[in-house]
């Protein structure tokens, strides 16, 4: 388990940065978290993003570590070239990418942003005494996904701006889904390692 190592890190506890879809949480099917009965690409994307954010909130509430869930935006990578058949990759690379390029983030810049997310004092652990954190205008403590400054769980857009979770996440949180998602995930991982 990496959690004890994250919590033991000094002078500040460790941090987990997930680069997926922070801020794009939505509905999940609580009766089919595995998507055994309702799998499609949209439900898979929605479940993975939402369950990641819920698990991070759960962990941040009970551990001395912080968790950042980032949406990277449109990043110039070779994912389509390496992941899809050549005809589909060609359509993307020569037809779609030239139109999307002006709205994209350079790969190196994206990496620098995520390094900042992983190391900045803006995203402290929620269980941390924040009185010893040096806060300047540039690194003010960020608002967590639950709307609390410095909560330990953060949702971030491609520009690095944090936000509180939307109404769907608030409803899921009120229903106790963070604990349910964590229990479900832990059970799956335990079965996988056996």
């Amino acid at each position: 388990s990496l959690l004890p190592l994250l919590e033991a890190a000094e002078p500040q506890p460790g941090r987990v940065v997930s680069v997926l879809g922070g801020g794009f949480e939505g509905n999940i099917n609580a009766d089919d978290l595995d998507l055994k009965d309702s799998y499609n690409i949209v439900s898979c994307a929605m479940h993975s993003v939402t369950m990641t954010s819920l698990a991070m909130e759960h962990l941040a509430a009970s551990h001395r570590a912080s968790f950042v869930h980032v949406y990277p935006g449109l990043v110039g990578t070779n994912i389509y070239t390496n992941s899809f058949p050549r005809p589909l990759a060609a359509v993307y690379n020569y037809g779609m990418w030239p139109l999307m390029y002006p709205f994209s983030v350079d790969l190196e810049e994206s990496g620098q942003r995520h390094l900042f997310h992983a190391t900045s004092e803006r995203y402290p652990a929620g269980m941390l005494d924040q009185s010893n954190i040096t806060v300047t205008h540039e690194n003010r403590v960020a608002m967590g996904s639950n709307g609390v400054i410095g909560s330990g769980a953060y949702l971030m857009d491609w520009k690095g701006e944090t936000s509180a979770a939307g109404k769907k996440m608030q409803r899921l949180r009120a229903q106790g889904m963070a604990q349910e998602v964590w229990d479900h995930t832990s059970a799956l991982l335990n079965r996988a390692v056996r």
Side-chain angles (χ1 to χ4, degrees):
S1 176
L2 293 176
L3 278 172
L5 296 173
L6 289 170
E7 291 182 302
E10 290 296 339
Q12 301 294 330
R15 178 171 304 140
V16 173
V17 177
S18 170
V19 181
L20 181 59
F24 286 93
E25 296 77 16
N27 293 322
I28 59 174
N29 183 347
D31 298 323
D32 188 20
L33 291 177
D34 289 332
L35 296 176
K36 288 181 180 178
D37 301 319
S38 57
Y39 177 85
N40 62 56
I41 195 71
V42 173
S43 63
C44 180
M46 193 61 55
H47 270 233
S48 60
V49 168
T50 305
M51 290 174 70
T52 297
S53 294
L54 287 167
M56 288 183 148
E57 282 190 359
H58 171 77
L59 292 168
S62 57
H63 294 282
R64 185 183 174 266
S66 62
F67 301 84
V68 179
H69 188 185
V70 184
Y71 170 67
L74 182 61
V75 181
T77 67
N78 59 359
I79 190 169
Y80 283 94
T81 303
N82 293 338
S83 303
F84 293 99
R86 287 181 192 241
L88 185 58
V91 168
Y92 175 80
N93 288 330
Y94 300 109
M96 295 172 59
W97 181 246
L99 300 173
M100 297 185 309
Y101 177 78
F103 307 102
S104 69
V105 177
D106 177 70
L107 184 60
E108 185 174 332
E109 180 180 344
S110 181
Q112 291 170 353
R113 289 178 183 191
H114 299 313
L115 179 60
F116 175 81
H117 302 149
T119 59
S120 173
E121 290 184 341
R122 281 200 71 200
Y123 317 106
M127 299 184 71
L128 187 65
D129 174 13
Q130 295 178 16
S131 63
N132 64 347
I133 295 175
T134 305
V135 177
T136 65
H137 175 70
E138 292 79 28
N139 77 338
R140 66 192 184 284
V141 175
M143 176 178 51
S145 59
N146 60 359
V148 175
I149 301 295
S151 72
Y154 305 92
L155 300 176
M156 202 170 309
D157 67 16
W158 70 276
K159 296 179 286 188
E161 298 296 322
T162 59
S163 65
K167 292 180 181 178
K168 292 176 182 174
M169 274 286 285
Q170 293 171 18
R171 181 177 39 78
L172 292 169
R173 190 184 302 124
Q175 295 170 349
M177 283 303 296
Q179 180 69 50
E180 190 171 330
V181 163
W182 183 249
D183 291 345
H184 173 79
T185 303
S186 295
L188 281 176
L189 292 173
N190 287 335
R191 281 199 314 258
V193 296
R194 288 186 188 159

